[in-house]
Amino acid sequence: MSSDKPELPSEAELAELDRDELVKLGGRMDGVELIEYPDPWPVKGTRAERRAERQVAFWFILSALAGLAFIVVFIWWPWQYEAPQDGVFQLYYWYTPMLGITLGLSILGVGVGVLNYTRKFVPHEVAVQDRHDGGSADIDQKTILAQLSDAGVRSTIARRSLIKRSAGAGAGIMGLGIGVFTLGAFLRNPHAHSEEPEGLWRTGWHSEPGNTEKVFLRRVTGDVEEVVLVRPEDMDAGSMETVFPFRESERGNHEALSEALRRSDNPVMLIRLRPEDAAKVIKHRGQEDFNYGDFYAYTKICSHLGCPTSLYEQRTNRILCPCHQSQFNALEYAKPIFGPATRKLAQLPIDLDPETGYFYAKSDFMEAVGPAFWERKS
């Protein structure tokens, strides 16, 4: 192959060159020699070509439909917790899997569609090129634009309206779905359906002023109607149990009992420390009387992103969040000691009811539960 540079046209001659001539000129200037540049469909309009076009369009249309399904699931699918005995539990159970399935199909459809179009319609050229240094002159810029335009024409995308429309729908709706996912928190007002004006500041452990009814710590047995309260002798040293609020006035009220289990800020970890560990506890200022002996109660909602801190290491007295590996020290007011969490877990003040011998909450949490939000000051 000769590496001699072609004679450059004048500015007037350059302005008169069409795209094909600019493509050839650009190749000669860059020292490019096309070895193979076959047309994938030399005979236009064949059944095989139309079938290939429909296959590509199928994946883009699938992406668009999956993207629409993702938006519908994200906004309207039942997402609030339901107990297994409730009729809509299965719908709630499938909320997160359906988000993953629909968004995954939308992204997969665009990716497979692009790959199929490239494989079936873009010419598979074989070329060799001499390397050279230096910047790009005006003539280089014009010729490369012509070559890019020529590549688009040779890929026949301009005349394939079915693929263009389906690709636009698939990519556009997939992008819309990702945007909805990103801005989804703005679609619901967290205060809109709260029974209290400060819903994010209060949990199911709250009692109205003047209400003397005790809020007991209730175990979960799998039966919404079954109420099992917690006594000190029910737990071994070094153990942890998840408990929920219960009021005696709610006994037999299926809706109220279900709501107590369903509300996302209600779960509490009741931890009984070993005696030798309880002697090492460092308490938070203002919360010195929140525990009962060796028993400490902390929210189960991680202060990072609201995942359930479901794990408790007896030997190290660490509370662990399995989502992002935040760790909290149960011997130092559940202070974060590892991971992305920066705030301690809220502590629930508890005591023992002398009449029944069961644990109850002396009040609601003194601080907001879970991750930060705009109105939060701590």
Side-chain angles (χ1 to χ4, degrees):
M1 184 181 94
S2 173
S3 59
D4 295 337
K5 290 288 184 180
E7 182 180 350
L8 299 182
S10 64
E11 291 188 6
E13 293 173 332
L14 182 62
E16 297 296 327
L17 296 179
D18 59 22
R19 189 194 66 240
D20 290 337
E21 293 171 330
L22 286 170
V23 168
K24 294 177 182 178
L25 176 61
R28 293 198 306 269
M29 290 180 58
D30 290 336
V32 174
E33 180 181 357
L34 287 176
I35 307 301
E36 294 182 11
Y37 201 20
D39 188 340
W41 303 100
V43 180
K44 310 302 180 185
T46 62
R47 294 177 61 183
E49 182 185 11
R50 292 194 298 269
R51 183 168 58 251
E53 186 174 358
R54 289 193 297 268
Q55 289 174 355
V56 174
F58 164 79
W59 287 104
F60 289 136
I61 293 172
L62 176 64
S63 173
L65 294 176
L68 286 174
F70 171 80
I71 295 173
V72 171
V73 170
F74 187 86
I75 298 176
W76 288 289
W77 193 281
W79 58 272
Q80 291 182 314
Y81 173 76
E82 299 289 343
Q85 293 82 6
D86 295 340
V88 295
F89 171 75
Q90 287 298 326
L91 288 176
Y92 157 77
Y93 179 82
W94 278 98
Y95 176 69
T96 300
M98 286 300 296
L99 288 179
I101 291 171
T102 52
L103 183 59
L105 275 178
S106 182
I107 297 173
L108 177 69
V110 169
V112 175
V114 170
L115 289 175
N116 267 280
Y117 183 81
T118 302
R119 186 170 62 89
K120 296 179 181 294
F121 294 101
V122 175
H124 297 255
E125 67 178 37
V126 177
V128 293
Q129 180 179 15
D130 290 337
R131 296 185 59 181
H132 60 84
D133 300 323
S136 298
D138 181 60
I139 190 172
D140 296 317
Q141 297 174 15
K142 289 187 176 182
T143 54
I144 191 61
L145 289 175
Q147 289 173 334
L148 291 174
S149 174
D150 181 71
V153 171
R154 289 181 182 274
S155 70
T156 66
I157 187 64
R159 64 183 182 87
R160 301 192 185 278
S161 57
L162 176 62
I163 291 180
K164 286 193 296 184
R165 292 171 183 171
S166 59
I173 295 176
M174 182 190 73
L176 179 62
I178 294 175
V180 168
F181 179 76
T182 304
L183 303 176
F186 296 99
L187 300 180
R188 299 187 181 99
N189 180 357
H191 300 290
H193 303 292
S194 175
E195 297 178 358
E196 302 161 339
E198 297 177 312
L200 290 177
W201 297 100
R202 299 179 180 179
T203 72
W205 300 94
H206 173 76
S207 293
E208 292 294 338
N211 187 350
T212 59
E213 184 178 24
K214 287 184 171 65
V215 183
F216 291 96
L217 278 60
R218 173 195 175 188
R219 281 176 162 165
V220 178
T221 63
D223 184 354
V224 175
E225 302 286 348
E226 184 179 14
V227 177
V228 179
L229 305 183
V230 185
R231 300 171 299 180
E233 57 267 31
D234 294 335
M235 296 180 62
D236 296 327
S239 63
M240 184 275 283
E241 186 167 356
T242 302
V243 294
F244 292 82
F246 168 75
R247 297 167 177 80
E248 192 59 42
S249 61
E250 298 171 349
R251 190 180 294 273
N253 185 334
H254 181 84
E255 183 177 350
L257 294 174
S258 297
E259 177 62 23
L261 299 178
R262 212 169 31 227
R263 182 161 172 166
S264 60
D265 54 7
N266 278 355
V268 162
M269 294 176 293
L270 180 62
I271 300 173
R272 182 176 187 179
L273 299 175
R274 294 173 296 184
E276 60 271 25
D277 293 327
K280 307 173 186 175
V281 168
I282 300 174
K283 299 181 180 181
H284 194 273
R285 186 175 59 183
Q287 300 180 3
E288 293 85 357
D289 62 344
F290 275 26
N291 61 298
Y292 176 83
D294 299 342
F295 293 85
Y296 292 78
Y298 296 104
T299 178
K300 201 172 184 178
I301 309 305
C302 183
S303 60
H304 173 225
L305 288 179
C307 295
T309 54
S310 306
L311 305 176
Y312 173 65
E313 285 186 347
Q314 182 190 69
R315 290 193 174 187
T316 62
N317 291 292
R318 291 188 177 189
I319 301 167
L320 295 88
C321 178
C323 291
H324 307 102
Q325 286 69 57
S326 292
Q327 298 182 18
F328 306 85
N329 186 0
L331 301 185
E332 192 174 358
Y333 52 84
K335 174 184 176 181
I337 54 177
F338 181 81
T342 58
R343 285 179 295 272
K344 74 181 190 69
L345 298 177
Q347 185 175 358
L348 183 72
I350 61 173
D351 204 347
L352 197 67
D353 181 24
E355 297 180 2
T356 63
Y358 294 118
F359 284 115
Y360 73 97
K362 294 190 291 185
S363 69
D364 200 355
F365 296 97
M366 290 182 59
E367 54 202 314
V369 168
F373 48 91
W374 286 334
E375 300 91 342
R376 182 169 180 169
K377 299 179 178 63
S378 63

